Amino acid sequence: MFYVNPQATRAPYPADLQDIMSIARAQQSREWLAHWDGLTPGATPLRSLPDLAASLGVGNVLVKDEALRSALGSFKALGAPIALVRLLLRQFEAKGFTAKSLLGGEHRNALAGFTAISATDGNHGRALAAAAQSIGCRCVIVLHAHVSDEREQAIAAYGAEIVRIAGNYDASVEEAAALASRHGWHVVSDTSYEGYEVIPRDVMQGYGTVAAEVSEALDGDASQQDSACPVTHVFLQGGVGGLAAGIVSYLWERWGVWRPTFVVVEPEQADCLYRSAIAGKATSASGSVDSVMAGLACGETSPLAWRFLQASVDAFMTVTDAQAVQAMQRLARGTDNDVPFVAGESGVAGLAGLMPAAATPAMAAALGLTSDSRVLLISTEGATAPSVYAELVGEPATSVEARQQAWLAR
């Protein structure tokens, strides 16, 4: 399914949105995260794939590889820690804590009675658990029926207490909120709902680090605002909309009317953003939600994220699980000129959308995809469920990584 958004505009970044998320706040988050040893120092790779671009009939395809952001294996390592730090700074303002002292675990004794809780499809919960372990507070994670045992074990390895429920992701969000209310715990969620927007804003603001690194890699001086964006198109994962909002807000503020064309891609079973675009307001998915793209298997649009997406995303589309698997295999395979690398099920959603969009003349025309187009994709995760990755790609992630090392050593 493909829908050109009639609400999309080419205008400067609105002041009311800048009050919520901004480049300045993203930079502050980035500076704070530099103090956390849970992240790999430096920027993640921005991979150029010329053979893939040629096969799709576009000028260039760039993929930001977030699998290497940390041992957590996903971009979520940027959001949950920042949200937890900002929450603790607000809660304990009189204590004089700083982001550096919190992430360094200097206040474990003072925070022993503090509990953070969240629902997750896997990656957000793992990042929150890792941040809580570093900081020294308690963490409870609510998992729904479709989260694999493998993902559960990866979260528990960081000391989180696991609560299992029946139902889907949206049911786990409700359960986390209920448990927090009952026990006086604090929800640190990446999706907003009525009366709950501050923490999801902080999560999304952390994701601005990805856009900042892309901007610096392609354009150098982010203070220069009078030129076109070096990429013409950005294909972004859907989910509840948090990543897309974090990236879109930064690039929209940075380039204003010269912003790139934004396309949001979702699983066909979890099409809440696509349905929101048609309805003109944040709404629910129409399908079963369950998808091989586990991190995007979300049925409810984040209302806060939607405020950023409604006027900026030029088109919304859905893809099948089979298309996601095809994209995973293509990136793993590589070519003589394209480095092979590991991209997980949710990480390849942008490519899974770009491939049919470029191959379908009507869609390509609607998006302005041409031989001059420079397309940015965000590979948001690696093999965060290694057995699932191996089954879908036909080889383990370690095999792909070995071929990557051989490619780089040529």
Side-chain angles (χ1 to χ4, degrees), residues 47-50 52-53 56 58-63 351 354 373-377:
R47 306 190 186 281
S48 178
L49 305 178
L52 176 60
L56 297 176
V58 298
N60 198 5
V61 173
L62 299 168
V63 184
L351 178 57
L354 172 61
S373 297
R374 300 176 302 281
V375 183
L376 171 67
L377 309 173

Side-chain angles (χ1 to χ4, degrees), residues 256-269:
V257 297
W258 295 284
R259 68 167 178 81
T261 295
F262 294 117
V263 184
V264 164
V265 185
E266 302 172 280
E268 61 180 1
Q269 312 93 304

Side-chain angles (χ1 to χ4, degrees), residues 147-167:
V147 176
S148 69
D149 290 340
E150 190 174 33
R151 292 187 189 277
E152 176 181 340
Q153 292 163 12
I155 296 167
Y158 286 94
E161 300 170 36
I162 306 297
V163 175
R164 273 282 188 178
I165 67 157

Side-chain angles (χ1 to χ4, degrees), residues 15-218:
D16 62 325
L17 295 184
Q18 190 171 25
D19 287 340
I20 302 170
M21 288 205 296
S22 67
I23 289 175
R25 290 192 185 92
Q27 184 59 32
Q28 182 185 52
S29 297
R30 192 179 177 193
E31 291 167 357
W32 287 359
L33 286 169
H35 299 296
W36 187 36
D37 61 10
L39 295 181
T40 304
T44 54
L46 184 63
R47 306 190 186 281
S48 178
L49 305 178
D51 286 347
L52 176 60
S55 72
L56 297 176
V58 298
N60 198 5
V61 173
L62 299 168
V63 184
K64 184 73 164 157
D65 187 358
E66 288 298 297
L68 303 182
R69 180 64 65 183
S70 76
L72 300 171
S74 89
F75 79 105
K76 295 285 188 176
L78 297 170
I82 283 296
L84 182 55
V85 164
R86 290 189 185 278
L87 170 61
L88 291 170
L89 290 177
R90 290 190 296 269
Q91 289 288 317
F92 298 92
E93 185 176 3
K95 297 279 190 180
F97 296 167
T98 65
K100 182 178 181 180
S101 65
L102 284 168
L103 290 168
E106 297 178 22
H107 309 295
R108 291 180 176 277
N109 292 337
L111 298 175
F114 184 95
T115 299
I117 184 172
S118 184
T120 188
D121 281 311
N123 291 339
H124 173 76
R126 191 178 180 188
L128 181 61
Q133 186 178 68
S134 294
I135 289 169
C137 63
R138 183 182 177 212
C139 181
V140 177
I141 298 297
V142 182
L143 301 180
H144 60 83
H146 303 297
V147 176
S148 69
D149 290 340
E150 190 174 33
R151 292 187 189 277
E152 176 181 340
Q153 292 163 12
I155 296 167
Y158 286 94
E161 300 170 36
I162 306 297
V163 175
R164 273 282 188 178
I165 67 157
N168 60 19
Y169 172 76
D170 302 297
S172 67
V173 170
E174 294 174 3
E175 179 65 14
L179 287 171
S181 177
R182 188 180 312 144
H183 298 293
W185 299 343
H186 299 266
V187 177
V188 182
S189 174
D190 54 354
T191 187
S192 68
Y193 43 85
E194 186 175 354
Y196 183 80
E197 289 195 343
V198 172
I199 289 173
R201 174 206 65 192
D202 294 339
V203 171
M204 294 190 299
Q205 194 71 84
Y207 300 156
T209 293
V210 177
E213 291 178 359
V214 170
S215 176
E216 290 172 2
L218 296 179

